[in-house]
Amino acid sequence: MRTEGTLTRLDRLFARLDREPQRPAHIDVPRMSRHRFVLFSATLAFYMAIVWAVVTTSWLVRLDWRIMFFRPYQQWPEFHAFLDYYVVLGQRGPTAVMVAAWLGWRSWRQHMLRPLLVLAVSLLLLNVTVGAAKIGMGRLGPHYATVIGSNEMGLGGDIFPSGHTANAVVTWGILAYLASTPTARRWLSALSAVTALGVGLTTVYLGTHWLSDVLLGWAAGLLILLALPWFEPLIARTETALFDLRDRWRARRGRRVPVPAPAVAPVGAPEVLAPRPSVPEKAPAHRETVGAGRASRTSAHLVPGRHPARPDCAPAVPAGSRRPAHSDRHARGTAPASRPLTGR
């Protein structure tokens, strides 16, 4: 049986969470304003324009080939070692772990699941939209190009749009999206934009992506950040449902186990009671004489039925004497017999 005094590690974690505010009052949830909707529409138009320029093999494809033949990694080899590590800021696994650790600590401090849920929704949208575009267009990268001047579309590749660039925009942009003050939001927006821009240009430097891949990756990541306010009601309902589930689970774990009722003996059968512990009786302050006709008492544990409750009063002093009878003594209340006179 689980007692109230025993707390598990999870209970202690919840107890620390309960000491934090439910939701800070200064944090506002972004909404799909008219300004944001205009930016979303413009970014979507830019996205479609890049796709159309690559599909029609326009000047953008010719620019891709010129940069590829320029081979930036050979022009500036001194940056190659540093940029090999810098491009990790666009890989989905390491960046997701770093950002999730920060947002998890923030959720723990503020007793809210919204930061982690926003990150989960954004990564899900990123995987679905960018992954579907990669598979659907099937463009080959610069290292696997087959025909000079072609767009390399529909050949089974998976580099259009750039996943590193889109992931850098979304992962680091989430920090700016979840900022609690306008000043922090502006600084984090600038920092995430510079980081995403550097990751995209690094992939072009290393020769793993075309320039058009990077442009489409920037647009794909920005579309996800601008569309997040549409998912805020779903995130709020999910957060409420998870906290309700947690409260029900904690209430079910904290419920006492009911004590079973004692079994009722059948009618006519003697009831067996457990022997009561012997309690030493206090010795009487003085002795009283007890008569020989003391009434015998039956043992309490032999009487059928439940034993009556003992009164709190002092025990009655039995009558009679326990001293042996003497022939030369008379009973109390009778006149003594005359003694014969004897001479001296």
Side-chain angles (χ1 to χ4, degrees), residues 271-284:
E271 183 178 0
V272 180
L273 299 178
R276 299 181 59 184
S278 58
V279 179
E281 297 181 355
K282 296 182 179 180

Side-chain angles (χ1 to χ4, degrees), residues 69-214:
F69 285 132
F70 183 71
R71 290 181 175 85
Y73 57 90
Q74 292 182 356
Q75 300 296 328
W76 302 288
E78 61 273 12
F79 300 110
H80 199 287
F82 169 74
L83 293 179
D84 272 339
Y85 291 100
Y86 182 79
V87 79
V88 177
L89 295 177
Q91 290 185 0
R92 194 161 307 166
T95 56
V97 170
M98 289 186 289
V99 175
W102 166 257
L103 295 181
W105 180 85
R106 179 176 171 181
S107 298
W108 176 73
R109 289 291 299 169
Q110 297 177 346
H111 198 183
M112 57 190 301
L113 296 176
R114 179 175 170 265
L116 291 176
L117 292 177
V118 169
L119 177 63
V121 170
S122 61
L123 292 181
L124 179 62
L125 292 175
L126 178 68
N127 290 331
V128 171
T129 56
V130 176
K134 283 175 174 287
I135 297 174
M137 288 182 276
R139 190 183 190 188
L140 294 176
H143 292 311
Y144 304 97
T146 57
V147 180
I148 297 176
S150 66
N151 57 13
E152 303 296 326
M153 297 281 287
L155 298 179
D158 57 351
I159 54 102
F160 186 64
S162 171
H164 276 71
T165 306
N167 183 74
V169 173
V170 172
T171 306
W172 302 113
I174 284 296
L175 300 180
Y177 179 83
L178 295 173
S180 56
T181 60
T183 303
R185 185 176 294 112
R186 284 193 296 267
W187 280 100
L188 289 175
S189 298
L191 182 61
S192 60
V194 171
T195 303
L197 178 64
V199 169
L201 294 179
T202 300
T203 59
V204 176
Y205 168 87
L206 297 175
T208 57
H209 280 287
W210 308 99
L211 180 61
S212 56
D213 299 342
V214 175

Side-chain angles (χ1 to χ4, degrees), residues 217-269:
W218 284 333
L222 188 57
L223 284 175
I224 293 173
L225 291 179
L226 292 174
L228 279 178
W230 280 329
F231 297 89
E232 286 292 347
L234 176 62
I235 292 173
R237 289 195 297 268
T238 304
E239 182 183 21
T240 303
L242 290 176
F243 276 123
D244 291 342
L245 181 63
R246 184 206 66 174
D247 294 338
R248 289 196 299 268
W249 179 71
R250 291 177 63 185
R252 184 168 59 250
R253 288 186 67 237
R255 187 179 305 167
R256 291 180 176 272
V257 180
V259 180
V264 180
V267 179

